[in-house]
Amino acid sequence: MSRPPEGRASTGQKIEQALEKALDPLATALKRATTPAPKPAAPGKPGLEISPLAVPFPTIPPIGGVEIATARAGFYKHERDDLVVFRFARGTTCAGVFTRHKIGSAPVDWCKRHLDASDGGNDVRGLVINAGCANAFTGKAGADAARRTASETAKRFGCRQRDVMLASTGVIGVVLDDRKITARLNDIETALDGDMHPTDQWARAGLGIMTTDTFPKGSFAECRIDGHTVRIAGIAKGSGMIAPDMATMLGFIVTDAAIAPPVLRALLGLHVRTTFNSVTVDGDTSTNDTCLLFATGSSGAPRIGRVGDRRLKEFSAALDKVMLDLAHQLVRDGEGATKFVRVSVEGAASPASARKLAKSIADSPLVKTALAGEDANWGRVVMAVGKTEEPVDRDRLAIRFGPHVAAVDGAPSPTYDEAKMSAYMKNAEIDITVDVGSGRASATVWTCDLTKRYVEINGDYRS
């Protein structure tokens, strides 16, 4: 059978080519429809995707008495800022809450020592934060590196080294190379004197303190003190090794109110319990947990020097709002998380008992993996409640997932509907409520699910 001359197509080939041309747009459209869109990469560690529970960074207006700058010191191999410096106006006050971990880091020791001094927190001028090296479990060498960092920064800001606060996050057991920080202080000073918009300053700072975080965490609120508008802004980082009693997180909050250090300490201690200390991702507490609250006094509001001052009522509520927002964002960015979960315990014998029961549920790997599998396995909740040895009336125990009753009066609910429960478990935000029938106390803890991605992220944390 003869073949058509080269360069010429047979009638059959022409028909085939015409069909291919006609069908090509359809094939392309089908390919697009069946190929999943690539997920956005996180701005922090390479290989991470932005959490599906992420929230946008807020708009933050100017807050008098504070400037922020970031730089790349080189604690990470990849290109990213990993050094953040705050510069505060003279007279800025400060208070802090720190990890209860028995092996605190050098920066935690530094801040606690100087804030606990007789006049501590009365004139804090700077804050230096690095990501990529925790400077924890590093002995005298780590302590010396922290001191040198504060000393060099203090020379630039014209203050005492004790007036510079420090914070670090990253790998434990590596001594901080403070030369990497001091080498970038000229760039930091130039940036501090620049005119970057406050929202950009705060957002870049939020990015600069991230480790396995997938989005920067910020919050802002306004209130009134004695007729004056007062602003509060904050950033935080944390994604894994998150547990109550100062979760593994760094949090930095600044207000332009004028508040004495003892009052700041009281406010921070009051609100940390129901915010940062009421979130858990994996039940592990870190060596570096730090939350610092600064008050620059630049708002014009009168100075508050007494804890019981009634003028603090609105400010206290606004501070709680900022802290709770940041705490929730830590959970939303839990390593590998796909569910944001609120665990509420009611009918407990005491607030401490309610808190322990809620934490047991929120920390349970069996509960958390069931949530990841969208399985309302309320038997695992029963397990987590009973193992605490807290007062529980078995015959009055009740469990709800959102509005759906799973158990009541110590037995499966007669109205239990598996289809409705399964549909509810597909939500990104889930409420679990347990009444233990032993009293009137209650507590709430926020957590997330436990997925395969958590294992993957922590399996190669140091790579």
Side-chain angles (χ1 to χ4, degrees), residues 225-304:
I225 293 181
D226 202 23
H228 295 264
T229 298
V230 168
R231 292 171 170 173
I232 308 171
I235 55 172
K237 65 80 51 184
S239 187
M241 211 186 293
I242 299 285
D245 293 326
M246 280 313 292
T248 177
M249 47 76 68
L250 299 182
F252 309 105
I253 303 166
V254 182
T255 177
D256 54 8
I259 302 176
V263 182
L264 288 181
R265 282 194 293 272
L267 288 168
L268 199 56
L270 172 67
H271 295 303
V272 76
R273 180 175 179 80
T274 54
T275 59
F276 292 127
N277 283 356
S278 289
V279 297
T280 176
V281 168
D282 49 20
D284 284 334
T285 300
S286 173
T287 56
N288 289 57
D289 306 336
T290 297
C291 181
L292 294 170
L293 173 60
F294 303 87
T296 69
S298 300
S299 66
R303 181 180 175 87
I304 305 295

Side-chain angles (χ1 to χ4, degrees), residues 313-334:
K313 183 177 180 180
E314 192 176 332
F315 178 86
S316 179
L319 177 63
D320 182 75
K321 179 182 176 182
V322 168
M323 292 173 65
L324 186 59
D325 184 18
L326 291 174
H328 284 179
Q329 290 183 53
L330 299 181
V331 173
R332 289 182 175 277
D333 204 13

